Amino acid sequence: ISLYEESMQTATVQAVHAQPLAAIQEGDRAQMQVRVVWETLIVGNITRDHEVNLVYNQGRWGVVWDESLIMPEMEGGQRLYMDYRIPARANIYASEGNALAYQGTAVTLGVVPGDVTDEEGMLAVLSPLLGKEQAAIRELYATALPSWRVPLGDVSSERLEQHAEALQPYLDAGLYTEQRPARLYPENGVAPHVVGYVGPIPAEQIDAYRKDGYRGDERVGRAGVEAWGEPYLRGTRGGVLTIIGSNGEYVSTVQETEPRQARSIYLTLEFDFQQAVEQALAETVNTSPGTAGSIVVLDVHTGQVKAMASYPTYNPAIFDVTRPNAEAELQAVLNQPGNPLVNRAAQGAYPTGSLFKVVTLSSGLLSGLYTPQTTYTSVGSWDKLGEDFIKYDWRSGGHGTVSMVRALAVSCNTCFYDMGYNLNAADAYLLPETARQFGLGSPTGVEGIEESAGTIPDPDWKINQIGEGWVPGDAVNMAIGQGYVQVTPLQMATIFTAIANGGTRYQPKLIDRIGAGGGAPEETWPVEENGRLPLTAAHLEAIKEGLWQVATAPYGTASHRFVGLPVPVAGKTGTAEAPASPTGFPHSWFAGYAPAAPYTTADGSVLTEPEIAVVAMIEHAGEGSTYAAPLFRRIVELYYGVEPVTPFHWAQP
């Protein structure tokens, strides 16, 4: 039994088919001829004809067995051996062809302390090359014996070549290099939460991978596009199935196949823009009270992801177990309280605060209870839930009498409390259903990364999940994006994309195309629609007017943040109360699109339609107009090449 199992696994057999051909009997002896076909993953179908000797004994026919009945060539105790031919893992590229993950040669730089002749000079060269302080490099070998070989860090072969002249005096004078094949990423990683990383096959999944033709010791995609694209990036394995003798020597070849080239994956991300967005996000988080954040930039006409950033971030190379100090680097990341491995743009689910008012107003318009011209008088407080549950506007004294459009522009809380209350009184499912029609409460369907569905509560959800009945206060809280509401920045980006383009909800498109390879042609990834916003043209124009006023009207909640910005924008602030905030501050949101009015670019062309939707979200930072809106402005400046970019006001001396 063990030999059969070993042989089937070695030959990557998926199915066995047997066809009896003939049988001859002489007394208590017989011989049966059988044709057996093995279907294998690696070397194709293997066909062998067997002569099976039978003997009749004690009332039954039995097989006179030896190893040749597995395969004729195995007679006498010989075994099968598979020499895998594994194609190089294909690369992952940004839209313009810049590599985000690629196969290459990593070079470990190390030192033999006792052979160092010019430590000061050597450290001066190594420090910028390895990105480490000289003292930190010296500390790596400070306690080593003089003859020890101490690895200091890894660089790509290309980067080593760039510094070859400076390193030359120290090679064989204490400094050494060792090369190895590796999965490489741009320095410190670009879009790591999208690209993902590779790692060993988890022990509990090895059997499943072997059924797909893996040897079992490969490094495979474990997250992001590296994982999603595994069927393309791995190529098709080839191999040579051989017979070896009991002494391990080669006897004969059973069958062989050549590997087929892997296929590269091209993403919609724009490399330089992605880097700049990541830097802007990191600067915002590191200089504000915020603890983390994310940014999503979508093309409003296709849903293409131009940039997606999450912070804190990580370097995908930490999962390369052959790196010096790999375990320590990985544990340092895993132990960070900010959980850098989470892609907050797609996996982070949060209350939206006032961003949700776009959905609430839409539900009000759809219900027939409201029109864009309906007015509400804001006095600063609202008491329809009773004296013990009085709610207040963010502006002391309220906003006076406002239309629904202006209520959106000034983000009048009491107006939307009242709208949520009235919608709930008419039908408790009206507001939740509108939110779902906008795509909230379910994944966007983006391919290449994992995402959270978020939560849109309704009476059924609450009784099933919380064990309590729905009350008007639930709808009131929901109307301003609080309570049980949880959405992802990516979901909000799709909503503002649809508002900007006239109502089409696109599935976010992260995969641009799959390169040719292995006999397959280049494959362009399609643009997919997720439906349309359930709004009339008049309703949509009213919402767009409110968003325009947010960014341009004197009373708009963020208009002071866009003074002097040459690119016209529209959008919405959001300040979302977060339970147990470590800083005591709410989440800071801004979502919008650009250009929101005709804009003449630097090359003289006139843009008359919006191009991009942007969502900026900073966790536990403060008001949306204070932190997220300036970050949104920075992203628009970066996309349209506005120089100089506007400094963040909170970081000024």
Side-chain angles (χ1 to χ4, degrees):
I1 292 171
S2 176
L3 183 58
Y4 270 99
E5 291 176 345
E6 174 193 311
S7 301
M8 297 299 102
Q9 180 174 306
T10 299
T12 67
V13 175
Q14 302 300 291
V16 178
H17 305 283
Q19 178 187 359
L21 301 177
I24 301 172
Q25 179 183 350
E26 292 183 2
D28 62 355
R29 300 274 175 177
Q31 187 179 77
M32 181 171 61
Q33 295 180 349
V34 180
R35 177 163 296 161
V36 177
V37 179
W38 290 0
E39 291 183 7
T40 80
L41 272 173
I42 300 299
V43 294
N45 288 354
I46 300 173
T47 302
R48 292 292 186 270
D49 289 341
H50 297 261
E51 292 185 350
V52 184
N53 292 313
L54 307 173
V55 63
Y56 191 81
N57 185 30
Q58 297 183 353
R60 59 182 289 275
W61 287 99
V63 174
V64 181
W65 189 88
D66 62 47
E67 295 92 340
S68 68
L69 292 184
I70 300 177
M71 179 172 283
E73 294 94 324
M74 294 176 64
E75 185 176 8
Q78 310 200 101
R79 297 290 185 266
L80 292 173
Y81 173 76
M82 179 73 80
D83 182 13
Y84 283 78
R85 294 175 175 174
I86 301 176
R89 189 174 182 84
N91 299 341
I92 300 172
Y93 296 103
S95 59
E96 318 92 323
N98 301 80
L100 296 168
Y102 59 101
Q103 288 302 105
T105 300
V107 181
T108 298
L109 288 165
V111 66
V112 180
D115 294 344
V116 174
T117 57
D118 180 5
E119 183 180 40
E120 185 175 340
M122 180 186 73
L123 291 174
V125 173
L126 289 177
S127 180
L129 181 58
L130 296 176
K132 299 177 181 178
E133 296 291 335
Q134 294 187 29
I137 298 174
R138 183 185 288 110
E139 188 176 333
L140 293 174
Y141 61 84
T143 59
L145 294 177
S147 60
W148 285 8
R149 292 167 63 86
V150 183
L152 304 176
D154 282 359
V155 296
S156 67
S157 57
E158 295 86 355
R159 188 162 170 77
L160 184 73
E161 184 66 27
Q162 294 171 3
H163 293 76
E165 186 175 346
L167 288 169
Q168 189 59 46
Y170 309 103
L171 294 172
D172 299 324
L175 188 67
Y176 71 88
T177 63
E178 289 182 349
Q179 294 188 347
R180 60 180 176 80
R183 189 65 164 173
L184 301 177
Y185 304 88
E187 189 171 359
N188 296 321
V190 175
H193 297 92
V194 172
V195 174
Y197 54 87
V198 298
I201 298 172
E204 67 275 12
Q205 297 179 25
I206 283 183
D207 287 344
Y209 273 89
R210 281 178 172 157
K211 289 178 181 178
D212 283 338
Y214 287 79
R215 191 171 53 203
D217 60 352
E218 298 94 335
R219 295 172 61 78
V220 298
R222 298 286 299 275
V225 176
E226 290 276 30
W228 175 89
E230 183 70 20
Y232 303 105
L233 298 170
R234 71 189 179 196
T236 301
R237 282 153 168 70
V240 182
L241 184 64
T242 60
I243 299 293
I244 58 173
S246 57
N247 57 0
E249 292 183 355
Y250 168 84
V251 175
S252 64
T253 296
V254 175
Q255 199 152 294
E256 63 182 294
T257 56
E258 293 298 322
R260 297 173 68 184
Q261 179 186 355
R263 302 174 65 188
S264 293
I265 297 176
Y266 293 80
L267 306 184
T268 59
L269 301 178
E270 298 178 0
F271 189 92
D272 291 340
F273 180 56
Q274 173 73 28
Q275 275 193 312
V277 167
E278 290 176 7
Q279 291 166 3
L281 177 61
E283 181 183 346
T284 300
V285 175
N286 290 329
T287 60
S288 74
T291 59
S294 60
I295 294 173
V296 180
V297 183
L298 300 182
D299 183 316
V300 303
H301 298 295
T302 62
Q304 285 189 347
V305 182
K306 298 293 187 181
M308 179 182 288
S310 180
Y311 191 87
T313 188
Y314 69 97
N315 183 349
I318 63 174
F319 291 93
D320 181 353
V321 296
T322 62
R323 282 164 52 94
N325 307 312
E327 183 64 26
E329 287 185 349
L330 179 57
Q331 287 304 315
V333 169
L334 295 177
N335 292 334
Q336 279 190 36
N339 202 347
L341 300 183
V342 172
N343 180 1
R344 287 170 157 80
Q347 295 174 296
Y350 312 90
T352 66
S354 294
L355 253 63
F356 198 85
K357 291 172 182 174
V358 169
V359 178
T360 304
L361 178 55
S362 297
S363 189
L365 297 174
L366 288 167
S367 72
L369 300 175
Y370 295 85
T371 71
Q373 293 76 37
T374 300
T375 60
Y376 173 83
T377 300
S378 162
V379 297
S381 62
W382 183 84
D383 62 2
K384 287 188 178 179
L385 294 179
E387 293 184 0
D388 293 335
F389 301 98
I390 296 176
K391 290 182 175 291
Y392 297 92
D393 220 321
W394 64 266
R395 180 178 180 180
S396 178
H399 297 275
T401 299
V402 293
S403 69
M404 294 301 100
V405 171
R406 183 149 177 167
L408 185 63
V410 300
S411 204
C412 177
N413 283 341
T414 55
C415 174
F416 286 92
Y417 289 141
D418 200 62
M419 189 179 295
Y421 183 87
N422 292 335
L423 287 170
N424 187 72
D427 184 342
Y429 292 90
L430 275 177
L431 183 53
E433 180 57 29
T434 301
R436 295 191 183 100
Q437 289 175 316
F438 273 61
L440 301 180
S442 59
T444 67
V446 62
E447 294 185 275
I449 56 175
E450 295 182 1
E451 59 176 330
S452 168
T455 300
I456 294 299
D458 63 18
D460 297 333
W461 177 90
K462 189 179 181 187
I463 195 68
N464 291 330
Q465 299 297 321
I466 309 297
E468 298 176 0
W470 187 260
V471 295
D474 292 321
V476 169
N477 285 330
M478 184 179 181
I480 63 161
Q482 296 285 172
Y484 300 110
V485 171
Q486 297 277 294
V487 308
T488 70
L490 181 60
Q491 289 172 331
M492 293 309 301
T494 65
I495 289 177
F496 280 81
T497 291
I499 293 171
N501 69 32
T504 301
R505 291 176 46 233
Y506 286 106
Q507 176 179 299
K509 182 175 185 278
L510 188 56
I511 310 301
D512 184 65
R513 62 193 187 277
I514 309 296
E522 183 173 276
E523 181 180 354
T524 300
W525 222 246
V527 172
E528 299 281 356
E529 294 184 13
N530 281 343
R532 290 187 59 81
L533 298 180
L535 298 172
T536 67
H539 292 161
L540 194 57
E541 285 305 311
I543 290 171
K544 292 174 75 172
E545 177 60 26
L547 299 179
W548 170 253
Q549 292 179 16
V550 167
T552 60
Y555 47 80
T557 55
S559 59
H560 58 300
R561 297 303 180 198
F562 300 109
V563 174
L565 178 65
V567 185
V569 300
K572 184 71 188 78
T573 51
T575 303
E577 297 299 327
S581 169
T583 65
F585 295 117
H587 299 319
S588 180
W589 288 85
F590 194 90
Y593 52 87
Y599 167 62
T600 303
T601 64
D603 63 6
S605 58
V606 179
L607 303 177
T608 59
E609 298 290 337
E611 289 189 323
I612 57 169
V614 181
V615 171
M617 192 276 184
I618 308 300
E619 296 178 24
H620 312 297
E623 293 186 359
S625 63
T626 303
Y627 296 101
L631 177 57
F632 173 96
R633 174 178 180 144
R634 173 71 63 86
I635 302 309
V636 171
E637 290 173 335
L638 291 170
Y639 189 81
Y640 288 101
V642 177
E643 294 182 342
V645 295
T646 305
F648 293 134
H649 64 87
W650 63 83
Q652 298 305 296

